[in-house]
């Protein structure tokens, strides 16, 4: 039932996006798909052996709901990206706890500092939104690598998550550099591809808890 409902939502909002009809309805369909993922995780019964991961999965999806509320429904970019940083931190805590979590978190921060310094030297305009976006993106890449090693379904979900955000980055690239020709065409295509990857990613992340129990 969960997969069938998500499939119907997916087909409907893709149709609306590709035909340019009812953008408002498309946005609410997209958000309802993420909301359904959250309710799916809440419906999973707690098992002592995976209590930690289930709690992290629920908190991560709750943070995703908040981030999408800010970005999809209200265009609060800074708050939305900060929420997604929180989500990736929760997923990192799903993989590591205690001292190991702190070490992995420091790796993300140091990598972000290195990239920001590189941007500064190549004279890319730097603002707060760019800084937190870099922190978020590197945290996501880090989690993708870990997830692939941990679980097949979770790994696929995180890879799709990454593909979504690569398209988000491509869509927003014109804010920082001049584009033309093929790049402009890719930017237009990316506006459709981001959600084509995003909802399946959240569905797979939700299903990964069931995979663990088997």
């Amino acid at each position: 039932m969960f997969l069938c409902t998500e499939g119907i939502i997916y087909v409907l909002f893709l149709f609306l996006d590709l035909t340019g009809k009812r953008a408002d309805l498309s946005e609410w369909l997209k958000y309802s798909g993420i909301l359904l993922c959250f309710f799916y995780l809440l419906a999973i019964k707690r098992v002592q052996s995976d209590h930690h991961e289930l709690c992290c999965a629920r908190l991560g999806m709750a943070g995703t709901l908040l981030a999408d509320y800010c970005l999809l429904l209200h265009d609060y970019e800074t708050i939305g990206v900060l929420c997604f940083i929180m989500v990736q931190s929760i997923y990192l805590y799903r993989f590591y706890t205690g001292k190991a979590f702190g070490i992995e978190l420091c790796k993300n921060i140091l990598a972000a500092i290195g990239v920001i310094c590189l941007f500064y030297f190549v004279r890319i305009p730097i603002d707060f939104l760019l800084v937190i976006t870099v922190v978020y993106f590197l945290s996501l890449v880090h989690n993708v690598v870990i997830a692939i090693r941990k679980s097949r379904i979770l790994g696929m979900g995180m890879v799709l998550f990454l593909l979504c955000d690569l398209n988000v980055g491509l869509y927003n690239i014109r804010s920082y550099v001049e584009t033309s020709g093929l790049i402009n065409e890719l930017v237009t295509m990316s506006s459709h591809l981001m959600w084509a990857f995003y909802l399946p990613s959240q569905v797979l992340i939700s299903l990964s808890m069931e995979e663990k129990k088997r």
Side-chain angles (χ1 to χ4, degrees):
M1 182 65 70
F2 170 65
L3 288 177
C4 287
T5 306
E6 290 286 16
I8 292 170
I9 291 171
Y10 185 73
V11 170
L12 285 175
F13 76 66
L14 283 181
F15 172 77
L16 292 174
D17 287 351
L18 292 172
T19 57
K21 299 177 180 178
R22 296 296 306 275
D24 56 335
L25 178 58
S26 175
E27 290 176 352
W28 281 106
L29 282 169
K30 292 168 182 173
Y31 194 72
S32 67
I34 306 302
L35 187 62
L36 185 58
C37 288
F38 179 64
F39 286 140
Y40 177 81
L41 286 171
L42 288 180
I44 296 176
K45 294 181 180 180
R46 295 189 177 188
V47 178
Q48 187 64 34
S49 61
D50 63 12
H51 176 72
H52 167 77
E53 288 205 22
L54 181 56
C55 286
C56 288
R58 288 171 173 172
L59 284 173
M61 196 59 68
T64 300
L65 272 175
L66 181 57
D68 287 333
Y69 179 81
C70 294
L71 292 169
L72 179 65
L73 302 181
H74 291 286
D75 203 27
Y76 300 149
E77 290 187 346
T78 300
I79 299 174
V81 175
L82 288 172
C83 288
F84 269 129
I85 290 175
M86 176 185 69
V87 170
Q88 294 306 320
S89 298
I90 291 170
Y91 287 156
L92 184 63
Y93 188 67
R94 176 177 173 176
F95 303 135
Y96 296 100
T97 57
K99 185 177 179 180
F101 170 74
I103 293 173
E104 297 300 318
L105 195 61
C106 286
K107 289 180 182 179
N108 289 340
I109 294 171
L110 290 174
I113 291 172
V115 172
I116 294 300
C117 289
L118 178 62
F119 284 173
Y120 176 79
F121 284 117
V122 298
R123 298 188 178 182
I124 292 178
I126 298 173
D127 55 23
F128 181 69
L129 181 58
L130 178 62
V131 170
I132 60 175
T133 299
V134 169
V135 172
Y136 162 67
F137 184 74
L138 292 175
S139 300
L140 173 59
V141 171
H142 189 185
N143 284 342
V144 168
V145 173
I146 300 169
I148 290 172
R149 299 171 182 168
K150 294 275 186 179
S151 159
R152 180 174 56 88
I153 292 180
L154 181 58
M156 289 190 296
M158 294 300 290
V159 168
L160 291 176
F161 205 154
L162 177 61
L163 290 174
C164 163
D165 282 323
L166 287 173
N167 280 281
V168 172
L170 181 59
Y171 183 75
N172 291 294
I173 196 172
R174 286 181 291 193
S175 300
Y176 298 96
V177 297
E178 294 184 5
T179 62
S180 61
L182 178 60
I183 299 299
N184 283 336
E185 294 180 13
L186 291 174
V187 167
T188 301
M189 188 183 301
S190 68
S191 65
H192 301 305
L193 288 176
M194 58 180 75
W195 269 90
F197 289 125
Y198 184 59
L199 183 58
S201 78
Q202 300 309 303
V203 170
L204 287 172
I205 288 170
S206 302
L207 290 174
S208 68
M209 289 309 307
E210 292 289 275
E211 178 194 39
K212 181 176 177 62
K213 285 164 46 174
R214 293 193 189 100

